[in-house]
Amino acid sequence: DIQGAAKSAGGGFSAFGEIASGALRKVGEMAVGALSAEAGQIASFVGDSIGAAASFEAGINGFKAVTGGALQAAGMDFDDVKEKALQLGAQTQFCAAEALDAMTELAKGGVSVKDVMGGATDATLALASAAGVDLANAAGIVAKQLGVWSDTGVTAAQVSDLLASAANASTVGVE
């Protein structure tokens, strides 16, 4: 009796089995597709991270080329430069590589390594943020103003604050 009932119901179970099998196949395809997409995103993230690290190292080499022996003469080394850039990258809206670029631009502009490692880079990032200018322009502006006013003892932070205040209080931009 059981065998006969199973045979007569077999058609129903067969249809159910095909539906279930199709649904499982579709779930499997979706899972493979999702894993593939996730793997692609992970690979992209890893690739971007490697690219960012290579760019950062290239920035360090650029800073070395610009500053020469001035860093060692100031009692610092390139680990200090990396630490400063990473710190600024963590504390500001700019990434570490952008902070390093600003440091390099300041050094190119004649700002002493001691000032670059001190408050000049912080002030440059603050000026770029407040005035809405890119970092290279902000670094050039700060470097020029420090050069013009160096005899007065003005600091990069004062230059940045004065320029941002003047720009915010008028229709004149920092540039």
Side-chain angles (χ1 to χ4, degrees), residues 19-142:
I19 292 170
S21 176
L24 287 175
R25 205 174 8 259
K26 187 66 176 171
V27 168
E29 289 172 7
M30 290 172 32
V32 168
L35 288 175
S36 176
E38 291 296 323
Q41 289 176 350
I42 290 169
S44 176
F45 174 75
V46 169
D48 290 348
S49 297
I50 291 170
S55 176
F56 187 74
E57 284 302 315
I60 290 290
N61 290 333
F63 188 80
K64 285 179 186 179
V66 169
T67 59
L71 193 64
Q72 286 79 18
M76 293 175 244
D77 61 25
F78 292 105
D79 286 338
D80 296 323
V81 174
K82 286 180 183 180
E83 185 177 315
K84 176 75 174 181
L86 291 170
Q87 171 200 0
L88 291 171
Q91 294 175 346
T92 68
Q93 71 186 43
F94 302 102
C95 71
E98 291 171 320
L100 184 57
D101 289 344
M103 294 165 74
T104 303
E105 289 298 318
L106 287 167
K108 284 181 184 178
V111 177
S112 74
V113 170
K114 184 177 178 183
D115 288 341
V116 168
M117 295 297 292
T121 305
D122 302 65
T124 298
L125 298 181
L127 178 63
S129 179
V133 298
D134 68 50
L135 284 174
N137 286 343
I141 291 167
V142 169

